[in-house]
């Protein structure tokens, strides 16, 4: 008998989502990720749980509708990681007619299946606070709803849930060879240590790497063409003092988001550039940074330049080639291609997808595999992710409860922990009676207790895992503090087998 029913390559949102769903259905699952969870595209997104207003322009009604419907499903499943966000869209008649936008937003509201999120309204920017940070020539705006998420933690919590339902999660383990017979024989390389696992079904959820995986590990020429497209973001000091985001229409018909980020910052993105090469080595170019600053400077009173950028990141979208020419016109929907041959183990390849649609994608993936796995039913639509077992608008109450139970926490520290761990904040803080009980403080409000929790329960191995994916504390850490954290984690790591 094969070691596993399902082996999934890729610990991004899609691989982790499929692992969670499959493990919850009682299948024996292994998830194999060559680096850290979410180290690929899934930590480099704009972090929006959205339908994608812009995709309406490209006629992607099906994608927009199903993505819009996922917003409230995910908000209820992970109210700590996902929060409603209002977007201010300043009217700029030179870019798009306000009539067209009004119509688009009516459709967005109408197909959006909203129970929690408020609908669209119009703003007078002369009197509304949102107008204060904008140049005086912008008089009117629309305001509509979407959600903002911690993309990397969403991946990690899908993996945590999968593991708690029996899945084996192997990070820093690359699948270097996949041999196909009646079952899959996978050769794995975990930092120089080789081993072999077998599985009945293989899922290639390697995202932008899926063709490289097909060529190198499966040794086949992939049939479908993957279009790779790079998108970059910059982070600057806070540009405005309220909790709404802006969606800005650029001269090239694209849109750029300016989103309140980590209390003191503004996240600005994204670009759209065709990409060729190794998706592991992708950084924002000077040209992209200038482009994003340029769009901001057209709208905001405070002007920014490359010198104001405190952090920047880039990611590679893998888009399923539906025959369109320009990257921004290629569909954002996903495709699942099942390769089954008589007498040979099946393989499912995931193309494209969004953070927003990962749960639906996982359900569809398991539906495609239904005839290999009987007695399998969708279940994820109504179950919370770890720590998400509280009401969608209960963050403030949970922060108050946390501060009552651990009186030594500042309000900001309690809020950060609740946003990251939800009700599992109890597991991070344990029996501590004072901040000293939480051990060494590495920088910002990161303590040894939290780092130990992340190492024990969330596969964190390096300082980068903690500072840039399990949290965004990297924004507040000095290089020396990060190095001290790395040394602590190396010392605290269990010895390798
Ligand atoms: C700039 C940008 C902005 C975006 N904004 C949004 C947004 O706001 N909202 C939204 O919903 N979506 C957004 N997206 C889309 C979304 O981020 C991606 O669709 C999603 O993250 C893809 O996830 P994935 O799991 O397919 O790929 P990835 O996250 O890249 O995961 C694939 C994983 O496979 C691993 N891997 C590869 N080869 C191997 C191997 N041989 N062995 C083991 N592991 C391997 C890689 O290390 C990687 O971690 C955005 C994308 C980009 C690029």
């Amino acid at each position: 008998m094969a070691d596993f029913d399902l082996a999934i390559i890729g610990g991004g949102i899609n691989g982790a989502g499929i692992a969670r769903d499959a493990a919850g259905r009682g299948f024996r699952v292994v998830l194999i990720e060559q680096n850290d969870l979410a180290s690929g595209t899934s930590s480099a997104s704009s972090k929006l749980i959205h339908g994608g207003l812009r995709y309406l322009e490209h006629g992607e009604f099906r994608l927009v509708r199903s993505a819009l419907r996922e917003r409230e499903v995910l908000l209820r499943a992970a109210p700590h990681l996902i929060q409603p966000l209002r977007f201010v869209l300043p009217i700029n008649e030179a870019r798009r007619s306000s009539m067209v936008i009004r119509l688009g937003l009516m459709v967005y509201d109408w197909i959006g299946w909203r129970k929690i999120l408020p609908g669209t309204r119009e703003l007078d920017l002369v009197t509304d606070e949102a107008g204060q940070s904008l140049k005086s020539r912008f008089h009117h705006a629309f305001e509509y709803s979407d959600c903002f998420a911690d993309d990397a933690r969403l991946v990690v919590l899908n993996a945590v849930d999968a593991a708690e339902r029996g899945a084996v999660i192997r990070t820093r383990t690359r699948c270097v060879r996949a041999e196909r017979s009646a079952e899959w024989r996978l050769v794995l390389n975990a930092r120089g240590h080789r081993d072999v696992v077998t599985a009945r079904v293989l899922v290639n959820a390697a995202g932008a790497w899926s063709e490289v995986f097909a060529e190198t590990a499966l040794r086949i020429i992939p049939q479908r063409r993957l279009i790779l497209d790079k998108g970059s973001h910059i982070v600057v000091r806070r540009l405005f003092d309220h909790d709404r985001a802006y969606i800005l229409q650029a001269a090239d018909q694209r849109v750029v988001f300016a989103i309140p980020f980590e209390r003191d910052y503004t996240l600005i993105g994204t670009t759209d550039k065709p990409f060729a090469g190794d998706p592991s080595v992708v950084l924002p170019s000077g040209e992209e940074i200038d482009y994003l600053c340029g769009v901001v400077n057209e709208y905001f009173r405070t002007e920014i330049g490359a010198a104001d950028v405190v952090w920047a990141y880039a990611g590679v979208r893998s888009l399923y080639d539906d025959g369109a020419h320009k990257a921004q016109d290629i569909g954002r929907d996903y495709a699942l291609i099942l390769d089954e041959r008589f007498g040979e183990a099946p393989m499912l390849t995931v193309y494209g997808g969004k953070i927003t649609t990962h749960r639906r994608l996982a359900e569809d993936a398991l539906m495609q595999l239904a005839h290999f796995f009987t007695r399998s039913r969708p279940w994820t639509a109504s179950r919370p992710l770890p720590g998400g077992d509280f009401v969608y608008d209960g963050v403030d109450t949970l922060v108050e409860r946390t501060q009552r139970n651990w009186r030594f926490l500042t309000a900001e520290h309690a809020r950060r922990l609740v946003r990251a761990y939800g009700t599992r904040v109890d597991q991070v803080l344990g029996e501590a009676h004072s901040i000293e009980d939480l051990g060494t403080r590495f920088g910002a409000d990161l303590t040894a207790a939290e780092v130990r929790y992340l190492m024990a329960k969330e596969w964190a191995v390096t300082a980068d895992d903690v500072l840039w994916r399990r949290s965004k504390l990297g924004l507040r850490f000095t290089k020396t503090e990060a190095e001290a954290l790395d040394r602590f984690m190396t010392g605290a790591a269990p010895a390798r087998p």
Side-chain angles (χ1 to χ4, degrees):
M1 189 169 78
D3 302 330
F4 297 98
D5 294 318
L6 207 62
I8 301 161
I9 310 300
I13 193 69
N14 290 327
I18 296 170
R20 174 190 186 223
D21 193 334
R25 295 179 197 225
F27 305 132
R28 297 169 305 141
V29 176
V30 59
L31 177 70
I32 298 154
E33 165 54 48
Q34 63 186 354
N35 296 313
D36 183 24
L37 293 167
S39 55
T41 309
S42 297
S43 56
S45 80
S46 303
K47 313 185 194 306
L48 301 179
I49 301 296
H50 65 159
L53 189 55
R54 187 163 63 91
Y55 308 144
L56 281 181
E57 278 182 335
H58 304 295
E60 293 198 55
F61 290 99
R62 199 185 74 87
L63 167 69
V64 175
R65 195 181 58 193
S66 73
L68 282 172
R69 290 182 175 208
E70 277 302 280
R71 292 180 306 188
E72 294 194 10
V73 176
L74 297 179
L75 179 60
R76 287 182 203 273
H80 47 332
L81 301 188
I82 300 174
Q83 48 190 315
L85 183 61
R86 296 289 283 170
F87 281 82
V88 176
L89 195 168
I91 291 169
N92 185 347
E93 291 288 348
R95 299 288 152 78
R96 275 176 195 84
S97 124
S98 54
M99 287 292 287
V100 170
I101 295 176
R102 180 178 283 116
L103 192 67
L105 285 168
M106 274 169 63
V107 174
Y108 207 69
D109 271 352
W110 185 52
I111 63 178
W113 194 72
R114 289 172 299 108
K115 292 218 166 71
I116 299 171
L117 300 172
T120 299
R121 64 174 185 140
E122 288 186 36
L123 292 186
D124 178 350
L125 292 176
V126 179
T127 52
D128 193 284
E129 191 192 6
Q132 284 171 16
S133 43
L134 295 176
K135 294 206 160 130
S136 58
R137 67 169 180 276
F138 298 104
H139 303 294
H140 296 285
F142 292 105
E143 187 190 282
Y144 69 95
S145 289
D146 265 324
C147 292
F148 187 72
D150 185 329
D151 51 3
R153 286 202 61 73
L154 200 55
V155 176
V156 172
L157 292 195
N158 269 279
V160 170
D161 205 20
E164 290 177 359
R165 295 171 192 277
V168 174
I169 310 293
R170 297 199 50 179
T171 63
R172 286 159 164 107
T173 302
R174 179 196 285 253
C175 178
V176 289
R177 186 89 181 90
E179 289 160 6
R180 189 176 197 173
S181 58
E183 60 186 29
W184 286 98
R185 183 177 179 277
L186 307 177
V187 181
L188 308 181
N189 181 346
R191 288 181 287 181
H193 174 81
R194 279 191 170 232
D195 65 330
V196 170
V197 297
T198 56
R200 287 171 62 202
V201 175
L202 180 68
V203 175
N204 175 356
W209 291 261
S210 63
E211 284 190 351
V212 177
F213 176 74
E215 282 161 20
T216 58
L218 294 160
R219 309 222 174 131
I220 55 173
I221 308 291
Q223 286 176 350
R224 316 270 166 172
R225 222 154 52 95
L226 202 60
I227 302 284
L228 298 185
D229 172 55
K230 178 182 160 198
S232 295
H233 291 82
I234 56 174
V235 173
V236 297
R237 287 255 153 218
R238 198 163 73 176
L239 286 175
F240 44 89
D241 281 333
H242 54 80
D243 58 3
R244 287 172 281 172
Y246 293 86
I247 173 167
L248 311 171
Q249 304 175 66
D252 59 2
Q253 290 299 303
R254 299 202 70 258
V255 292
V256 167
F257 301 110
I259 304 168
F261 189 57
E262 298 290 317
R263 200 182 67 230
D264 300 322
Y265 302 92
T266 302
L267 171 66
I268 300 158
T270 172
T271 53
D272 224 327
K273 293 262 170 224
F275 178 83
D278 182 354
S280 317
V281 206
V282 38
L283 289 169
S285 66
E287 188 197 339
E288 286 175 294
I289 292 173
D290 289 346
Y291 169 86
L292 293 172
C293 292
V295 177
V296 164
N297 292 343
E298 201 187 331
Y299 284 85
F300 282 90
R301 288 177 204 261
T302 308
E303 301 229 329
I304 55 165
D308 298 303
V309 173
V310 295
W311 182 45
Y313 63 85
V316 178
R317 298 179 185 89
S318 61
L319 306 172
Y320 180 61
D321 186 3
D322 57 3
H325 297 298
K326 279 200 289 186
Q328 67 200 65
D329 293 337
I330 295 170
R332 256 51 172 182
D333 215 344
Y334 56 79
L336 300 168
I337 309 295
L338 181 63
D339 171 2
E340 47 181 342
R341 299 172 197 174
F342 184 72
E344 291 197 340
M347 174 173 68
L348 186 75
T349 303
V350 176
Y351 291 94
K354 291 164 62 65
I355 301 284
T356 309
T357 50
H358 76 276
R359 195 200 60 80
R360 282 294 308 275
L361 182 150
E363 273 184 357
D364 286 352
L366 287 156
M367 199 163 73
Q368 290 246 16
L369 298 172
H371 59 289
F372 304 103
F373 302 123
T374 47
R375 291 179 283 105
S376 139
R377 279 167 171 250
W379 63 276
T380 52
S382 55
R383 298 288 180 84
L385 281 157
D389 48 343
F390 63 99
V391 284
Y392 68 85
D393 56 355
V395 165
D396 289 344
T397 311
L398 196 51
V399 171
E400 280 162 27
R401 199 207 75 178
T402 304
Q403 274 201 284
R404 264 200 316 276
N405 291 349
W406 289 275
R407 290 188 179 276
F408 57 88
L409 292 178
T410 63
E412 277 167 12
H413 193 178
R415 183 164 292 276
R416 183 183 71 73
L417 294 175
V418 165
R419 277 262 163 241
Y421 305 103
T423 53
R424 294 201 175 186
V425 70
D426 303 15
Q427 295 184 23
V428 178
L429 296 170
E431 299 296 314
H433 296 292
S434 68
I435 194 78
E436 287 73 32
D437 289 348
L438 297 175
T440 309
R441 199 168 167 146
F442 295 100
D445 56 20
L446 182 71
T447 62
E450 186 177 356
V451 176
R452 283 205 189 88
Y453 175 87
L454 291 172
M455 294 179 77
K457 307 279 183 174
E458 296 194 3
W459 302 276
V461 174
T462 66
D464 266 11
D465 300 351
V466 171
L467 297 179
W468 294 110
R469 286 178 288 278
R470 305 305 180 282
S471 76
K472 290 290 177 282
L473 288 171
L475 286 167
R476 303 174 196 279
F477 260 57
T478 63
K479 194 163 174 282
T480 315
E481 288 169 338
E483 284 165 0
L485 173 61
D486 235 343
R487 281 195 300 278
F488 170 84
M489 292 180 72
T490 308
R496 285 191 48 74

